[in-house]
Amino acid sequence: MPTTVAPADPVPVLRGLSSMATRLVLAELVQAWREAGGCPVQIESIGGVDAAKRVAAGEVLDLVILAADAIDRLLADGHLLRGTRVDLVRSAVGVAVPAGAPAPDIGSAAALRAAVLAAGRIGTSTGPSGQALAQMFERWGIADQVRQRLVVPPPGVPVGTLLARGDIDLGFQQLSELIHVEGIRLLGTLPPDSAIVTVFAGAVARTSQHPAAARAVLNFMASPSATAAKRRQGMEPA
């Protein structure tokens, strides 16, 4: 990480809002920003759908970090400042089962499809990964077969929590939300022929009173020196 941040006029704490998928990597990057001399930053991580609603409602914020398509919608509607979008990370969807459970083969699309059909209860999220999985099940022609077995946790509750409790038998979520969960067996990411990768981006909120400082934080988070932190949290730089 850079050792210093360019001096700026003193600002109060910058407030940010993000989806849960980027919670851990943002915490690490905010700490690095502060250690480099940057202003205080507090980022609240919640379900992406609820985060977008709060931004659209005009909540006073400085930074917004969500899936790129959500950022684009908020930009188009004027809730974020045009020209401030910065792509931060690429996040792949992972697959897991409860700890101690047999590990199904997920090495190809055909194997993954078979694993889904064989699973009792299947956990997916309310975020972009869950939407993409639903579309994939439709393409595979199995949506009707698995619909009654799908378990979607409330926004902000990780799929890994359901796995660890034994509430589901097979779980799909952003890898970053699974890699540190105890009580589960991580099988890896989706195979290349059915991979789902979400780009998470940041932008400055229209309500920000310190847009220059907010842009500086985003630029820091997008810098090459942030790559190691992103990979530690199961992500790749965008």
Side-chain angles (χ1 to χ4, degrees):
M1 292 289 181
T3 56
T4 60
V5 172
D9 294 334
V11 298
V13 176
L14 295 181
R15 293 190 61 240
L17 197 59
S18 82
S19 55
M20 292 296 293
T22 53
R23 175 177 58 90
L24 294 178
V25 71
L26 292 178
E28 188 168 348
L29 293 176
V30 165
Q31 180 180 349
W33 162 262
R34 290 289 287 139
E35 291 173 352
C39 62
V41 180
Q42 292 181 351
I43 298 179
E44 180 183 358
S45 297
I46 62 174
V49 173
D50 288 338
K53 288 179 180 177
R54 284 171 55 176
V55 176
E59 182 171 337
V60 177
L61 297 162
D62 298 291
L63 307 165
V64 180
I65 299 162
L66 297 170
D69 59 349
I71 290 290
D72 285 343
R73 287 193 294 270
L74 292 168
L75 280 166
D77 292 340
H79 302 300
L80 304 174
L81 296 182
R82 293 187 181 276
T84 65
R85 170 178 158 167
V86 177
D87 290 348
L88 297 177
V89 293
R90 293 170 55 84
S91 179
V93 171
V95 190
V97 295
D105 179 11
I106 62 164
S108 66
L112 180 62
R113 182 180 184 276
V116 170
L117 288 173
R121 297 156 299 175
I122 304 161
T124 65
S125 77
T126 58
S129 65
Q131 297 165 17
L133 280 163
Q135 294 169 4
M136 187 166 70
F137 295 160
E138 288 283 357
R139 291 195 304 273
W140 286 350
I142 63 172
D144 290 339
Q145 293 170 261
V146 302
R147 186 169 290 116
Q148 297 304 315
R149 290 182 277 139
L150 291 179
V151 179
V152 180
V157 176
V159 169
T161 298
L162 302 187
L163 284 165
R165 293 200 307 237
D167 293 342
I168 56 175
D169 306 295
L170 185 68
F172 298 85
Q173 197 160 35
Q174 304 289 342
L175 179 64
S176 62
E177 296 189 72
L178 293 172
I179 57 175
H180 299 303
V181 178
E182 296 183 0
I184 71 172
R185 181 176 184 178
L186 183 61
L187 306 180
T189 55
L190 299 183
D193 53 0
S194 56
I196 297 173
V197 178
T198 301
V199 173
F200 287 90
V204 178
R206 176 183 54 80
T207 53
S208 176
Q209 299 299 304
H210 307 281
R215 291 192 73 163
V217 174
L218 290 175
N219 289 337
F220 179 88
M221 291 179 171
S223 66
S225 56
T227 296
K230 294 171 183 178
R231 288 179 174 158
R232 276 193 293 271
Q233 302 301 337
M235 298 179 167
E236 288 293 325

